[in-house]
Amino acid sequence: MAGTTVADGGLVERAFDAAAVALGVEPGSPDHAEKLAHVRATMGESKISVFRHLFGDEDRARRANSAFEQAYGDLVGGGLVAPVPGAREAVEELTADGLTVVLTTGFARVTQDAILDALGWRDLAALTLCPADAGGRGRPYPDMVLEAFLRTKAADDIRHTAVVGDTSYDVLSGVRAGAGLVAGVRTGAHGDEAFRAAGATHVLDSVAELPALLRGAG
């Protein structure tokens, strides 16, 4: 969601700073810089997986993740998120065209719900999924894409599924799931080179272009 349908103005990095401080990482230190670089490189991945890599043992990872989710939720509650221009309209167009839209995220459910509430999007999509809804594995694994396919029963072939996201991990999850259309969008973390390297079939300026693309593909 963040970077694809939701503009959060870099809140992930601000929430990471809170998590790092909670775990004793000194702001401005080489350790902080190294960890922040990893957070930037793994945008789109399940956040608990990122913290497991950064902090090693499970207890520290969960403490960092809790601090991150709390900080991000507080920032969202402060009105610091907005829709990517045209994103809501794109979902409404796709739905009007008879397609089923699922919003996925690497955040925990509590954070995803905070974003949906802040934007008034609770009823926008047919389904919303976070890693816990797909057995715990987020991107770059294909699990959330496959979970959406299985839960909605909106298609009779996974190749009739389209996956769109702003990170190479979004793209890779779609490719691994076997989706027929996998698009990167230029409104978030990664760019054309990363999308193509991950196997994207298309690169779009924004998710707002998706309805027209799918109508053309149809």
Side-chain angles (χ1 to χ4, degrees):
M1 293 173 61
T4 304
T5 57
V6 179
D8 71 358
L11 296 192
V12 168
E13 293 188 17
R14 290 175 63 180
F16 164 74
D17 285 342
V21 168
L23 269 292
V25 178
E26 182 180 350
S29 67
D31 185 33
H32 182 277
E34 182 180 342
K35 285 179 167 57
L36 179 58
H38 182 77
V39 169
R40 289 170 174 163
T42 55
M43 288 290 189
E45 185 177 347
S46 168
K47 293 298 175 283
I48 185 62
S49 296
V50 173
F51 289 123
R52 283 174 180 141
H53 174 87
L54 291 178
F55 295 107
D57 68 82
E58 188 68 13
D59 178 66
R60 284 170 57 80
R62 290 193 177 277
R63 284 169 52 206
N65 192 63
S66 293
F68 172 90
E69 300 289 354
Q70 179 65 51
Y72 195 96
D74 289 345
L75 292 165
V76 168
L80 298 179
V81 294
V84 165
R88 183 187 183 102
E89 293 80 1
V91 174
E92 292 172 339
E93 285 184 53
L94 293 168
T95 302
D97 286 347
L99 302 177
T100 300
V101 179
V102 179
L103 298 175
T104 68
T105 184
F107 294 134
R109 167 56 61 182
V110 64
T111 306
Q112 184 175 40
D113 285 346
I115 294 170
L116 294 170
D117 288 340
L119 298 179
W121 280 13
R122 279 284 189 171
D123 300 318
L124 180 61
L127 180 67
T128 61
L129 294 173
C130 67
D133 298 320
R137 294 202 311 182
R139 312 180 194 103
Y141 296 103
D143 301 30
M144 285 196 290
V145 178
L146 297 174
E147 188 73 15
F149 174 75
L150 291 170
R151 285 203 195 187
T152 63
K153 297 180 171 58
D156 57 11
D157 190 322
I158 192 64
R159 291 172 294 182
H160 299 160
T161 300
V163 174
V164 182
D166 71 303
T167 75
S168 59
Y169 280 9
D170 292 293
V171 170
L172 189 54
S173 70
V175 170
R176 287 174 169 176
L181 186 151
V182 184
V185 292
R186 300 183 177 112
T187 52
H190 296 155
D192 294 29
E193 185 176 346
F195 296 144
R196 295 298 186 189
T201 60
H202 298 76
V203 178
L204 309 176
D205 285 335
S206 165
V207 72
E209 297 179 355
L210 183 61
L213 174 62
L214 292 181
R215 288 176 192 133

